[in-house]
Amino acid sequence: AQSVTQPDIHITVSEGASLELRCNYSYGATPYLFWYVQSPGQGLQLLLKYFSGDTLVQGIKGFEAEFKRSQSSFNLRKPSVHWSDAAEYFCAVGRPWNNNAGNMLTFGGGTRLMVKP
Amino acid sequence: ETGVTQTPRHLVMGMTNKKSLKCEQHLGHNAMYWYKQSAKKPLELMFVYNFKEQTENNSVPSRFSPECPNSSHLFLHLHTLQPEDSALYLCASSQTAGVGDTQYFGPGTRLTVL
């Protein structure tokens, strides 16, 4: 069975500092990997996704993530955090389901990011 | 993402009530999903609909009953719920149910069962 682990439940960084959120996955085949962000009271918004090709993926809002197969990781990074980045971040693995009839996303537990002024 | 709307945004109900959650997507997608987000557990997939057909029920209790009358609308009918069903219920849609298709989420309905 696939699983996704986000080891850090909470992270606090100062505004302007760099950020790295960790994500480790367990999946037998080539994974489809996603990062979503959830602001308070809102649904999830896709930041970026990786399917194949270049292992460094650029997303919206200045985020990027790097797929490292040898480490089963897909860490999210941002060089300079803004106060508006405070939110909860979810890593997810997608896989075909029910003979390709469905698309199942397995989510990690999330990392809550707080930004200090 | 404003392409997926959910109503109501907040719902309080007793264990004997019957209520329904509504989801509408304005993106022309063909697949729709219900997820449950509890405080202590990762986001859980509940149901998947692809071209109005339910393709999977992820071991969800029968007190949750989905309905998909067309590709744009998805309902979750609730009856005889338990307090542990209190959670944020998120609807999502994607172009198809293919594994590479991005899922777009609505803002959710915050459900409290008394």
Side-chain angles (χ1 to χ4, degrees):
Chain A
Q2 65 190 47
S3 65
V4 180
T5 302
Q6 294 180 244
D8 305 304
I9 298 175
H10 299 277
I11 283 186
T12 301
V13 300
S14 298
E15 191 168 17
S18 63
L19 171 70
E20 182 169 31
L21 302 183
R22 296 184 290 165
C23 173
N24 294 98
Y25 67 90
S26 171
Y27 182 53
T30 300
Y32 292 79
L33 297 162
F34 304 80
W35 273 101
Y36 282 86
V37 61
Q38 186 178 31
S39 299
Q42 302 297 316
L44 278 69
Q45 181 183 23
L46 180 71
L47 286 175
L48 47 80
K49 58 186 179 182
Y50 171 79
F51 296 159
S52 64
D54 192 346
T55 56
L56 185 63
V57 181
Q58 301 297 319
I60 62 171
K61 303 184 181 185
F63 286 93
E64 66 178 26
E66 186 171 13
F67 170 58
K68 293 185 177 180
R69 184 185 300 276
S70 61
Q71 298 177 19
S72 298
S73 69
F74 188 56
N75 294 348
L76 182 71
R77 300 194 294 249
K78 185 169 185 177
S80 178
V81 169
H82 188 262
W83 64 267
S84 60
D85 294 324
E88 189 153 20
Y89 292 80
F90 295 91
C91 181
V93 173
R95 67 174 177 87
W97 190 28
N98 192 20
N99 294 318
N100 276 329
N103 171 12
M104 183 169 186
L105 287 181
T106 299
F107 284 86
T111 298
R112 184 168 297 280
L113 173 66
M114 290 168 280
V115 180
K116 294 188 300 185
Chain B
E1 176 59 54
T2 57
V4 181
T5 58
Q6 291 186 241
T7 54
R9 294 294 307 276
H10 300 271
L11 178 62
V12 179
M13 58 187 290
M15 289 190 285
T16 58
N17 292 159
K18 290 185 179 181
K19 296 286 184 183
S20 296
L21 310 185
K22 178 183 176 182
C23 175
E24 183 174 1
Q25 58 95 3
H26 312 273
L27 302 169
H29 290 168
N30 295 301
M32 297 186 77
Y33 311 78
W34 279 116
Y35 286 87
K36 177 182 180 182
Q37 187 177 28
S38 306
K40 303 287 186 185
K41 298 172 69 175
L43 205 62
E44 301 172 87
L45 179 67
M46 300 174 72
F47 301 103
V48 180
Y49 276 82
N50 193 28
F51 292 92
K52 301 187 297 178
E53 298 297 321
Q54 186 182 141
T55 58
E56 196 59 57
N57 169 337
N58 195 23
S59 302
V60 180
S62 59
R63 58 185 184 268
F64 295 91
S65 174
E67 178 190 2
C68 188
N70 55 62
S71 293
S72 298
H73 294 86
L74 184 64
F75 294 90
L76 188 63
H77 304 300
L78 316 171
H79 64 96
T80 325
L81 293 192
Q82 304 298 311
E84 59 265 29
D85 297 321
S86 299
L88 182 68
Y89 289 85
L90 291 166
C91 174
S93 71
S94 58
Q95 184 61 53
T96 71
V99 66
D101 282 0
T102 299
Q103 293 183 24
Y104 294 84
F105 286 79
T109 294
R110 174 71 61 186
L111 174 67
T112 302
V113 182
L114 301 177

